[in-house]
Amino acid sequence: MTEQKISSTLVNQDATSEARELMRYLVKSYGSAVLSGQQEYSNLNWINENTGRKPAVIGFDLMEYSPSRTERGATSEEIRDMIAWHQQGGIVTLCWHWNAPSQLIDEPGKEWWRGFYTEATTFDLASALAHPESDEYALLIRDIDVIAGHLQEFKDVGVPVLFRPLHEAEGGWFWWGAKGPEPAKQLYRLLYDRLVNQHELGNLIWVWNSEQPEWYPGDDVVDIVSVDVYPKAGDHDPLAERYENLRNLVNDSKLIALAENGSIPDPQQMEEQGIHWSWFCTWTGEFLRGGQHNTVDFLKEVYNSDYVITLDQLPEWSWK
């Protein structure tokens, strides 16, 4: 069985007891079940009303806490909702649509609030990283330190976080991937070093989110590998090729997750074909409620499958 090769030891030797407990559970479950997941806390009741169950994992986003958004008046209740979800015994996964620190174009179609997209900013990551004395580098550090303050809020109340920064880097559509693999890897390692070694955030489980080998930042800073896949609407294929890409990337030594999806892979096919995603996390909006990517009948089937773990089936965590 593949899961026997996978260690539950986290890359951060100073990980909190809550992070260690969550990782042990994920490793124990891996290969025998997939955890159900959904982006956005606001979808929780809709799923419950339509399936009779709640997901085990909910995806949150630090987007509105980016300094270049808050200075323009952005606000968010994401932190409050994350803590509320944790208190219900749910698992938190967290991405960060990092609005570029500066140099937002801010014109029609490239508005400031689209500033995480490559096309909406002239911020040059490669140049910033190559010049640590520059204002641009200082702004990168400022942003990381601001986010560290919010991640500390979760640490203070015992929330372990499946943290997925710099997601979809290899796509190039976000500014952190626009300059190719080397700057993206360098930024990821800078983020890791600052959050782990300076801010001592041991509550983070580090999730990498690209599958191409040249983009991989290294086994020493990654706990879980993942990919985001949006098949054509209604295609519930288990995504074997993408899963195998990630297995090969880490020599079958780390957990593998489907960090974002549109149509949910069919749990029965996953089980039959040995495609062991640790969790899936369906994106919001039409992907959940539109009826094209996932019908209500299919959602009921997924959430009531013996192969799928829902909120009520999670363990009694020590922190509850």
Side-chain angles (χ1 to χ4, degrees):
M1 293 287 285
T2 59
E3 60 268 24
Q4 290 175 338
K5 292 178 64 176
I6 292 165
S7 169
S8 62
T9 303
L10 294 167
V11 289
N12 179 5
Q13 295 180 347
D14 297 318
T16 62
S17 60
E18 294 91 352
R20 293 175 195 271
E21 184 178 355
L22 174 55
M23 188 64 174
R24 282 194 300 270
Y25 172 73
L26 293 175
V27 170
K28 182 181 174 185
S29 306
Y30 188 63
S32 60
V34 60
L35 279 75
S36 54
Q38 177 60 49
Q39 186 72 19
E40 282 195 12
Y41 189 63
S42 59
N43 290 312
L44 189 62
N45 289 337
W46 188 91
I47 293 174
N48 192 31
E49 288 163 8
N50 283 280
T51 70
R53 299 289 186 98
K54 294 179 180 179
V57 178
I58 287 188
F60 297 85
D61 194 337
L62 289 169
M63 177 167 65
E64 302 298 356
Y65 299 95
S66 303
S68 69
R69 295 174 84 90
T70 57
E71 67 193 18
R72 289 168 169 82
T75 60
S76 178
E77 295 180 335
E78 205 79 342
I79 289 173
R80 181 203 68 182
D81 291 344
M82 279 182 66
I83 292 171
W85 176 238
H86 164 77
Q87 290 169 342
Q88 294 171 58
I91 296 170
V92 166
T93 183
L94 181 60
C95 68
W96 179 19
H97 282 89
W98 184 350
N99 230 59
S102 64
Q103 298 164 28
L104 303 177
I105 294 171
D106 200 16
E107 61 185 40
K110 300 178 180 181
E111 295 85 357
W112 64 265
W113 44 265
R114 296 177 60 82
F116 45 87
Y117 285 117
T118 299
E119 64 183 19
T121 179
T122 58
F123 189 86
D124 186 329
L125 176 62
S127 176
L129 292 171
H131 300 94
E133 74 291 345
S134 66
D135 291 344
E136 288 74 22
Y137 187 89
L139 287 171
L140 287 175
I141 298 299
R142 174 204 66 174
D143 284 15
I144 293 169
D145 289 349
V146 166
I147 290 303
H150 296 304
L151 294 170
Q152 181 68 43
E153 294 182 58
F154 307 134
K155 184 184 176 188
D156 288 345
V157 291
V159 182
V161 176
L162 297 167
F163 186 49
R164 184 173 62 101
L166 310 190
H167 66 292
E168 301 176 10
E170 67 194 24
W173 43 77
F174 298 138
W175 63 266
W176 52 84
K179 297 296 179 178
E182 294 311 316
K185 289 188 288 189
Q186 190 180 341
L187 181 60
Y188 181 92
R189 295 188 72 94
L190 174 65
L191 191 64
Y192 180 91
D193 179 63
R194 196 144 186 101
L195 295 182
V196 168
N197 297 319
Q198 175 135 349
H199 293 285
E200 300 181 347
L201 291 164
N203 58 322
L204 307 178
I205 295 173
W206 289 79
V207 182
W208 179 245
N209 189 228
S210 291
E211 62 191 310
Q212 295 174 15
E214 61 269 28
W215 289 80
Y216 186 58
D219 284 345
D220 60 323
V221 290
V222 172
D223 293 304
I224 297 171
V225 290
S226 69
V227 70
D228 299 351
V229 188
Y230 289 86
K232 69 178 186 290
D235 180 355
H236 301 294
D237 181 87
L239 306 170
E241 183 181 347
R242 312 300 290 274
Y243 179 81
E244 290 300 325
N245 287 346
L246 290 168
R247 273 187 73 183
N248 293 332
L249 179 67
V250 293
N251 193 27
D252 203 20
S253 66
K254 295 182 185 287
L255 291 178
I256 299 170
L258 182 58
E260 290 180 26
N261 58 275
S263 302
I264 300 169
D266 181 356
Q268 184 177 343
Q269 290 185 51
M270 288 173 56
E271 187 174 14
E272 289 171 352
Q273 296 180 35
I275 311 303
H276 301 309
W277 299 107
S278 176
W279 72 86
F280 64 81
C281 192
T282 308
W283 202 247
T284 190
E286 65 175 293
F287 297 106
L288 175 66
R289 305 192 192 198
Q292 299 298 309
H293 295 269
N294 299 290
T295 65
V296 169
D297 283 345
F298 182 71
L299 289 167
K300 285 178 183 171
E301 191 179 309
V302 168
Y303 272 84
N304 290 281
S305 164
D306 289 341
Y307 190 69
V308 175
I309 295 170
T310 49
L311 177 66
D312 56 296
Q313 296 168 313
L314 290 175
E316 279 295 315
W317 308 108
S318 65
W319 59 77
K320 269 199 81 179

